[in-house]
């Protein structure tokens, strides 16, 4: 199952204004583990993956490696290679691994698996903006563009190349991978899935956090009344943001 989100903040107002896109979910689990209500989604995803070319995976070491509790560094390296190969194929610059974003992604992935939910908003650590702010990657005075892809798979479908193929087959996830403004990425993989009995088969949950920071937002001086109005507007916007992707 996969979801994506993107946040964009640009100068032009007193505070950054996020724009949220909620991704379309797709299933990446063996058919025998699915309920009948999910079968159609599995078929749709299978058709999408049959059209994927293995050329990029062949160029990245261990792209077919199945995640375990001890090979996360190799999995993350394969994911970074696969994502940057996709960007290179589309004339985009490579993403640099960000230790800060790695930590944010790992915290969120562990939280999803441990607490049994699959979403961009954590009941403990908040939404993407809260998590990136807490980590110091962005602030209220930063102009930024950030996004997040999440996903999980079981058996062979938990391998990095399958995850990236699925992301590239979904418009919202693909948009994050091929966003030309992004310069940084943080990747994490954790063994296990947020829910569903895997029948003892290997399984993994992934998070990819993308970002770019353009420096502080220039905010003109305001009267006390205007500052209060801006603060109220920002609180309403943040509330709407939580509702849209919670």
């Amino acid at each position: 199952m996969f979801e994506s989100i993107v946040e964009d903040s640009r100068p032009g107002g007193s505070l950054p204004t996020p724009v949220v896109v909620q991704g379309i979910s797709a299933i990446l689990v063996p058919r025998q583990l699915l309920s009948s209500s999910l079968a159609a989604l599995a078929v749709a995803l299978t058709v999408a993956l049959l059209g994927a070319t293995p050329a990029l995976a062949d160029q990245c070491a261990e792209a077919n490696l199945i995640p375990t509790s001890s090979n996360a560094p190799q999995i993350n390296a394969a994911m970074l290679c696969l994502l940057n190969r996709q960007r290179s194929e589309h004339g985009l610059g490579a993403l640099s691994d960000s230790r800060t974003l790695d930590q944010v992604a790992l915290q969120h992935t562990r939280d999803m698996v441990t607490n049994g939910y699959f979403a961009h908003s954590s009941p403990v650590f908040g939404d993407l903006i809260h998590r990136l702010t807490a980590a110091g990657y962005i602030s209220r005075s930063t102009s930024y563009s950030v996004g997040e892809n999440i996903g999980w798979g079981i058996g062979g479908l938990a391998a990095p190349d399958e995850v990236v193929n699925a992301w590239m087959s979904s418009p919202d996830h693909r948009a994050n991978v091929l966003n030309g403004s992004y310069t940084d990425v943080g990747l994490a993989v954790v063994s296990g899935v947020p829910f569903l009995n895997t029948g003892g088969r290997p399984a993994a949950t992934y998070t990819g956090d993308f970002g770019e920071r353009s420096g502080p937002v220039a905010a003109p001086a305001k009267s006390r009344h205007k500052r209060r109005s801006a603060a109220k507007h920002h609180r309403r916007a943040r509330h709407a943001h939580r509702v849209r992707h919670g």
Side-chain angles (χ1 to χ4, degrees):
M1 181 174 288
F2 294 82
E3 291 190 359
S4 71
I5 189 172
V6 59
E7 303 267 1
D8 195 18
S9 169
R10 293 287 180 245
S14 60
L15 293 169
T17 302
V19 176
V20 181
V21 177
Q22 183 65 49
I24 300 173
S25 298
I27 303 300
L28 260 190
V29 296
R31 182 182 298 274
Q32 63 267 30
L33 297 178
L34 294 174
S35 67
S36 58
S37 63
L38 298 179
L41 286 175
V43 171
L45 182 62
T46 300
V47 171
L49 291 180
L50 285 175
T53 172
L56 295 180
D58 292 343
Q59 299 172 22
C60 293
E62 301 179 309
N64 300 316
L65 188 64
I66 303 301
T68 68
S69 59
S70 61
N71 65 3
Q74 296 96 307
I75 296 295
N76 289 335
M79 287 290 291
L80 180 61
C81 176
L82 289 165
L83 293 174
N84 279 333
R85 290 287 184 179
Q86 289 287 354
R87 290 174 66 86
S88 177
E89 286 285 309
H90 291 82
L92 300 173
L95 298 168
S96 298
D97 180 59
S98 164
R99 182 169 298 182
T100 300
L101 292 182
D102 284 342
Q103 293 171 345
V104 173
L106 180 58
Q107 178 193 63
H108 189 57
T109 312
R110 284 176 173 167
D111 189 43
M112 288 191 292
V113 173
T114 300
N115 293 309
Y117 72 94
F118 185 71
H120 296 285
S121 185
S122 163
V124 178
F125 301 106
D127 60 23
L128 178 61
I129 296 303
H130 281 88
R131 290 183 273 121
L132 294 179
T133 301
Y137 185 79
I138 61 173
S139 70
R140 293 182 64 188
S141 63
T142 303
S143 177
Y144 60 82
S145 180
V146 298
E148 180 172 81
N149 285 356
I150 57 177
W152 55 263
I154 296 174
L157 296 176
D161 61 338
E162 296 287 1
V163 173
V164 172
N165 282 343
W167 283 352
M168 294 303 293
S169 297
S170 163
D172 292 329
H173 304 83
R174 181 185 179 91
N176 273 341
V177 174
L178 300 182
N179 187 321
S181 69
Y182 293 154
T183 57
D184 305 325
V185 67
L187 297 163
V189 58
V190 172
S191 293
V193 296
F195 35 69
L196 190 66
N197 183 349
T198 66
R201 302 189 68 181
T205 300
Y206 288 80
T207 298
D209 286 334
F210 305 85
E212 170 270 335
R213 296 171 291 183
S214 303
V217 175
K222 290 184 174 62
S223 66
R224 179 179 299 178
H225 173 72
K226 290 183 177 180
R227 287 198 299 269
R228 287 177 176 173
S229 297
K232 289 180 180 178
H233 174 76
H234 184 61
R235 284 196 297 270
R236 288 196 297 269
R238 287 192 298 170
H239 175 70
H241 159 70
R242 289 195 297 269
V243 169
R244 289 182 66 183
H245 79 269

